[in-house]
Amino acid sequence: MGCATLAASIATPVAWSARGSRTRDQMLIAQPSRLSLLGDDYPSTEVWGFNNMIPGPVLRANQGDVLRVRFRNRLPSVSTIHWHGIRLPNAMDGVPGITQPAVKPGQDFVYEFPLPDAGTFWYHPHVATYEQIGRGLYGVIQVEEREPPDVDEDVTWVISDVLLTKDAAISPNFKSLHDAAHAGRLGNIVLVNGQRGPAVLDVRAGQRIRLRLLNAASARIFRIKIHGHQPLVVAHDGHPCTPYRLGESFYFSPGNRMDLMLDCTGAPNAQFEIEDEFFPAMRNKVGLIRYGSRSAQGLRKPFEGLSPNGLFEPVLAGAESVKMVLEGGALSNKATREAIWLMNGKGNDHGSHMDSHGAQPDPLFTFEQGCTVRCLIDNRTAWFHPMHFHGIVFRERLPSGQWGPFKDSTLVWPFKTQEIAFVAESPGDWMIHCHVAEHQHSGLMGTFRVASLCKTPATPRA
């Protein structure tokens, strides 16, 4: 009886949010464009963008709204849109050959789904992501809280990179064997909101800024250092967390989002850099906090946190335990040209599933709806893997042994393990993959299936 009640309660947020809510109609057109990425002193660059923009337009809605997007594919290749991090019906997940047919050039597809959670999410294709994201196809979804926080500004920075030739053209050598077997395709130019960094954040002392960060790079992991400030981290991957002070720097992997509350405590006319120091000898200037000459305004009370989303808390007692083993890549004797990377001994090529008439991959795991799952990810490779799970949110086990905030992607270090725990929430076949795009398309992808029964109860979070 408890299982049946849980199954009904899982469906409730979707059904509830659709009743009496506002439908937000949007159109996204994926097409070739020419944009200036480097400024007026350089030639414009031929890119692929949504609505002739990089990033694409920010899709804004309120928690509980329904988002309806007409996707028009005007690219020379097939495509889809995946709504990264949003808890939505399986048929709207945007994965060709698994949840929908690929959208052919000249065709349209309508996505429609409720928005049960407030937070920072994003959208991108799930076809040849190493190329389509690498050419500029990505954008932000900003779902506002029912009780928005009191801030002076709400700023979004989409951080990415692009590999350009000396003529400011995008280098065409996508999915090279070297990139696929190593760290993926790393660009030579870091972009913030589609422009060469650093981005400038103009502030005055005493202001409180909500800074939403998204790593939309196809492969690059950033290590972000914010000089002169220690903002509060208030959300990971769209979901609020207990606020905590940011350390000296933090690792920021593809697909991750982080919401910060920045209290501006600098002196008038002061400037502070925001750097990427993942490669210490090749630092990138991501941003600049620039104070004006005006005197400080009054300081606010300490920020107490965002309103939580209604997520299902994993119940660890009696949870089902599974293991995911990552192998292959350069420096490994497991890699082959056909499967550079392996997940539990299988090397799936996402591209082979784009034909909706082809056979779908066998799921790595099958879970009953509502069950709590503990998954140990064992990285037996020499490379970082930001592992993204569709259709769920999870807690990851911290080095302290405690369980961290909810996320949808976890960065698994070379030759390390990472344990996560989640509730198998919505029925369907859902993707698991490394968000280094070349790794995903060279073996590190699979699926898990959520069946319509349950055995381990989960407790909805208030």
Side-chain angles (χ1 to χ4, degrees):
M1 185 172 180
C3 292
T5 301
L6 174 63
S9 69
I10 285 177
T12 297
V14 173
W16 174 85
S17 62
R19 289 198 299 267
S21 59
R22 177 177 175 179
T23 297
R24 305 273 183 159
D25 285 293
Q26 301 281 354
M27 181 178 292
L28 290 176
I29 306 172
Q31 61 190 11
S33 305
R34 291 199 71 90
L35 297 175
S36 174
L37 305 181
L38 303 180
D40 296 336
D41 295 334
Y42 295 87
S44 60
T45 302
E46 184 174 336
V47 300
W48 292 356
F50 287 111
N51 297 12
N52 296 313
M53 300 167 62
I54 295 180
V58 177
L59 304 184
R60 301 180 189 275
N62 294 324
Q63 186 176 14
D65 286 348
V66 172
L67 185 61
R68 182 165 58 208
V69 179
R70 176 171 291 277
F71 169 51
R72 313 192 78 172
N73 183 9
R74 301 302 180 259
L75 300 170
S77 63
V78 298
S79 192
T80 63
I81 301 180
H82 168 57
W83 311 95
H84 186 123
I86 294 180
R87 297 185 298 142
L88 41 57
N90 183 259
M92 295 289 103
D93 198 41
V95 181
I98 297 176
T99 68
Q100 70 168 95
V103 183
K104 297 178 181 179
Q107 290 185 340
D108 293 5
F109 187 91
V110 177
Y111 295 92
E112 184 172 352
F113 48 87
L115 299 167
D117 303 316
T120 308
F121 306 98
W122 68 301
Y123 59 91
H124 62 80
H126 230 293
V127 174
T129 50
Y130 52 86
E131 178 176 8
Q132 296 199 8
I133 288 180
R135 291 187 181 274
L137 286 168
Y138 47 83
V140 171
I141 307 165
Q142 188 169 314
V143 185
E144 302 294 346
E145 295 86 0
R146 294 188 177 92
E147 299 178 6
D150 179 21
V151 297
D152 293 295
E153 288 189 69
D154 192 322
V155 178
T156 299
W157 280 2
V158 181
I159 307 172
S160 60
D161 67 354
V162 64
L163 186 59
L164 298 181
T165 68
K166 62 181 180 180
D167 300 319
I170 294 179
S171 177
N173 62 330
F174 289 97
K175 202 187 176 185
S176 74
L177 182 61
H178 178 276
D179 290 346
H182 291 77
R185 175 181 164 111
L186 301 180
N188 54 3
I189 301 293
V190 171
L191 302 177
V192 183
N193 291 346
Q195 297 292 303
R196 186 177 193 171
V200 177
L201 181 61
D202 283 314
V203 301
R204 62 179 288 201
Q207 284 188 315
R208 174 170 289 168
I209 309 296
R210 180 177 185 169
L211 181 59
R212 304 172 188 252
L213 302 178
L214 158 65
N215 182 351
S218 64
R220 183 182 289 273
I221 299 169
F222 295 92
R223 186 178 181 183
I224 303 295
K225 181 174 184 178
I226 302 177
H227 291 270
H229 298 77
Q230 278 194 306
L232 279 179
V233 180
V234 298
H236 284 275
D237 290 354
H239 298 289
C241 63
T242 301
Y244 67 92
R245 288 288 170 197
L246 195 62
E248 183 178 346
S249 64
F250 64 94
Y251 288 88
F252 198 41
S253 54
N256 279 143
R257 289 88 65 212
M258 185 179 287
D259 287 30
L260 306 177
M261 284 296 173
L262 176 68
D263 283 333
C264 302
T265 56
N269 300 314
Q271 296 187 7
F272 299 92
E273 289 186 342
I274 302 176
E275 288 186 296
D276 163 39
E277 55 179 21
F278 187 86
F279 299 107
M282 297 183 292
R283 295 172 184 251
N284 295 295
K285 292 183 179 180
V286 174
L288 182 69
I289 303 172
R290 187 169 63 187
Y291 282 79
S293 59
R294 297 173 63 186
S295 59
Q297 61 185 37
L299 295 175
R300 285 186 168 84
K301 296 179 180 178
F303 184 73
E304 295 182 354
L306 300 170
S307 300
N309 289 323
L311 306 178
F312 288 93
E313 190 69 49
V315 177
L316 300 179
E320 184 169 349
S321 295
V322 297
K323 188 173 184 178
M324 186 185 305
V325 179
L326 313 181
E327 298 175 294
L331 309 180
S332 169
N333 60 7
K334 298 279 187 177
T336 67
R337 281 185 172 271
E338 290 73 28
I340 296 172
W341 305 93
L342 301 171
M343 185 184 296
N344 285 12
K346 298 179 180 179
N348 286 307
D349 176 4
H350 182 206
S352 67
H353 307 299
M354 289 194 299
D355 182 357
S356 61
H357 301 291
Q360 293 189 9
D362 292 330
L364 296 171
F365 314 106
T366 298
F367 308 120
E368 294 176 341
Q369 185 184 16
C371 293
T372 292
V373 178
R374 295 178 69 162
C375 178
L376 182 68
I377 306 172
D378 184 358
N379 182 3
R380 300 179 184 178
T381 81
W383 307 95
F384 287 90
H385 298 297
M387 300 302 297
H388 172 49
F389 288 64
H390 290 210
I392 62 164
V393 292
F394 56 76
R395 292 191 183 276
E396 59 183 5
R397 200 171 185 88
L398 303 176
S400 64
Q402 297 180 321
W403 293 91
F406 282 104
K407 302 177 70 174
D408 60 50
S409 301
T410 183
L411 181 61
V412 190
W413 284 56
F415 302 114
K416 299 290 185 181
T417 61
Q418 177 65 64
E419 186 179 15
I420 64 172
F422 61 89
V423 175
E425 185 171 332
S426 298
D429 284 9
W430 301 94
M431 272 193 70
I432 311 167
H433 63 90
C434 178
H435 227 287
V436 173
E438 290 79 12
H439 295 178
Q440 171 195 330
H441 288 269
S442 301
L444 278 189
M445 67 80 60
T447 64
F448 68 97
R449 179 169 296 163
V450 179
S452 57
L453 300 174
C454 69
K455 64 182 180 181
T456 303
T459 303
R461 186 179 176 192

